[in-house]
Amino acid sequence: MTGADAEAWITGIGILGPQGCGWDAVVRGLQQPTPLFQPVPPAWQAEPGVPAAWTAPLAADAEAALQPFDTASADRACAMALAAADQAWRQAGAEPQPRRGGVWWGTGMGGAQSTEQSYRRFLLERAALRPMTVPRIMASSPAAQIATRHGLRGPNLTYAIACASAATAIGEALLALRVGRVDLAIAGGSESMLQAGVLAGWQGLRVLSTLRQAETAAQACRPFGAGRSGLVLGEGAAALVLERPASARARGARPLAILAGYGSNCDAAPSLVHPQADGEADAMRQALADAGAPADAVGLVNAHGTGTDAGDVAEAEALAAVFGTGRAAPAVCATKSHHGHLLGAAGAMEAVVSIASLVHQLVPATLGAEPRDPRCAHLQLAAQPTGRPLDWVLSNSFAFGGANVSLLFGRAPA
């Protein structure tokens, strides 16, 4: 779909993550990249099945920023969501839209912290559960509380599609804006899964990077690198304020970037956890077609790039199918090598990374990718942040269950 009404203006951004709190922290992290990983706390490793794995917890300033939102009714993931949405709202200079504003939110595991705490309280401590247990656990609680805080009485939708949750929420918000269902949307995702039980569950899949495999943080998450050891689970939240261009222009707002294309599909493959390159390629083509943009217009692809063997190879194959393998292929980055994998919030975190890349005309570094896996040798990865003219950035989120989502972001109009 093309034309002014086909795109959404991104007028506000909020973020809490391992790299810190706010837009400036994201930009600093891209300009001065480092792996933000810490080992699982030793006390957790005493629990059955919890590995000595690497994790990416919130930075100290992000931790402080969520504290005002840590209430009786808000799980940690919900508090993160509220803090990120507040940042985005302030940056956008938005006003309440009682009937013309809504919330589209993504989370893979909902109130995971409250779920684990409640099971411990009920089964181990044999104590009654707290009155707000159910609202804290609800996956839809962040969207509901964001809407309440900002007076948004339009659609209020939550997507739980594993690693594609937030990217789906952002894409579906774009569709709602296009058809005029709303004038403004808060869209994004949050995830707080650094809990002993969650880590034990992920260890069952044998995809986590552990201290046995990677002795240092620099070795922990190495997307597309030879001998990579797996993924690093992180936590955080990111929120975007999306607006119809006419509505934003009428109130004097200016965009940071635009969202112009959205592709989404399902592999429908026998395995829920094995990625399919053809489905991933189709999602990228859908996003390009949706925006009316040719493949050679894309200057950068923000890869899903988790650091797992099967996932990285499938995505490398998909990228070759869409863009080719020659010098004209776009640059590729995998910033999970900085901030880890935020699961349901990953698509929102990496949407912000994509927007920052456009604003600062920067190809982010992919840490630890050298020496390269020969099966991924055709990808144009940067070992250090690299300046490059960028008009379009494609961001990928590929999930367990075969859900594939691609979002196409463009430079703000002059």
Side-chain angles (χ1 to χ4, degrees):
M1 185 176 181
T2 59
D5 290 337
E7 65 192 37
W9 281 14
I10 299 158
T11 57
I13 287 174
I15 192 163
L16 285 80
Q19 65 273 71
C21 178
W23 170 258
D24 289 344
V26 173
V27 174
R28 282 196 305 271
L30 294 179
Q31 294 173 335
Q32 302 171 22
T34 187
L36 300 165
F37 308 141
Q38 299 177 20
V40 167
W44 290 9
Q45 295 176 38
E47 301 282 354
V50 177
W54 292 97
T55 63
L58 287 187
D61 63 336
E63 189 71 45
L66 71 83
Q67 294 309 311
F69 302 94
D70 185 12
T71 65
S73 61
D75 178 81
R76 181 175 174 83
C78 183
M80 290 180 188
L82 288 165
D86 257 32
Q87 289 178 29
W89 190 262
R90 288 195 304 271
Q91 186 180 39
E95 299 175 353
Q97 301 280 340
R99 301 292 182 185
R100 300 293 301 165
V103 181
W104 283 256
W105 204 253
T107 181
M109 303 194 72
Q113 182 194 57
S114 294
T115 300
E116 179 153 331
Q117 289 176 346
S118 296
Y119 275 119
R120 288 182 180 277
R121 185 175 175 86
F122 181 66
L123 295 175
L124 300 181
E125 299 172 15
R126 311 300 294 174
L129 298 187
R130 295 184 171 90
M132 297 302 288
T133 295
V134 171
R136 288 174 66 93
I137 289 173
M138 292 188 323
S140 59
S141 192
Q145 295 197 45
I146 290 170
T148 299
R149 184 169 179 83
H150 298 290
L152 302 175
R153 298 177 64 186
N156 191 270
L157 301 172
T158 298
Y159 299 85
I161 313 172
C163 312
S165 300
T168 301
I170 293 168
E172 293 296 319
L174 171 64
L175 299 186
L177 288 161
R178 279 180 178 169
V179 299
R181 192 175 183 191
V182 291
D183 294 327
L184 177 149
I186 295 179
S190 54
E191 201 80 272
S192 174
M193 57 188 166
L194 299 186
Q195 313 295 325
V198 174
L199 287 161
W202 276 90
Q203 177 62 8
L205 289 166
R206 302 294 188 267
V207 294
L208 296 182
S209 179
T210 66
L211 276 71
R212 181 177 180 181
Q213 301 161 305
E215 295 182 354
T216 68
Q219 298 171 315
C221 184
R222 302 177 50 243
F224 307 114
R228 57 194 176 277
S229 56
L231 61 83
V232 174
L233 293 178
E235 62 176 352
L240 310 179
V241 172
L242 305 174
E243 299 189 59
R244 300 184 74 197
S247 302
R249 196 179 292 113
R251 68 179 188 85
R254 294 295 304 161
L256 294 161
I258 64 169
L259 174 59
Y262 168 45
S264 174
N265 66 32
C266 180
D267 293 331
S271 172
L272 289 175
V273 298
H274 194 83
Q276 304 295 314
D278 58 345
E280 295 176 358
D282 184 54
M284 288 187 268
R285 292 190 184 103
Q286 283 184 33
L288 293 170
D290 189 43
D296 61 8
V298 176
L300 172 66
V301 177
N302 179 68
H304 186 59
T306 61
T308 63
D309 186 75
D312 289 357
V313 171
E315 188 167 14
E317 292 175 1
L319 288 165
V322 175
F323 298 104
T325 58
R327 294 176 62 86
V332 175
C333 69
T335 60
K336 290 183 178 71
S337 61
H338 310 186
H339 51 68
H341 190 356
L342 273 62
L343 273 195
M349 167 72 77
E350 293 170 41
V352 175
V353 167
S354 299
I355 295 163
S357 298
L358 284 164
V359 170
H360 291 275
Q361 297 288 278
L362 181 72
V363 173
T366 300
L367 303 178
E370 305 299 341
R372 190 81 60 84
D373 182 334
R375 297 168 294 178
C376 307
H378 59 279
L379 300 179
Q380 297 192 36
L381 304 173
Q384 298 293 332
T386 304
R388 177 170 175 169
L390 299 172
D391 291 322
W392 296 100
V393 175
L394 186 72
S395 187
N396 290 334
S397 296
F398 303 141
F400 282 176
N404 303 304
V405 175
S406 294
L407 299 171
L408 185 64
F409 297 93
R411 290 187 72 180

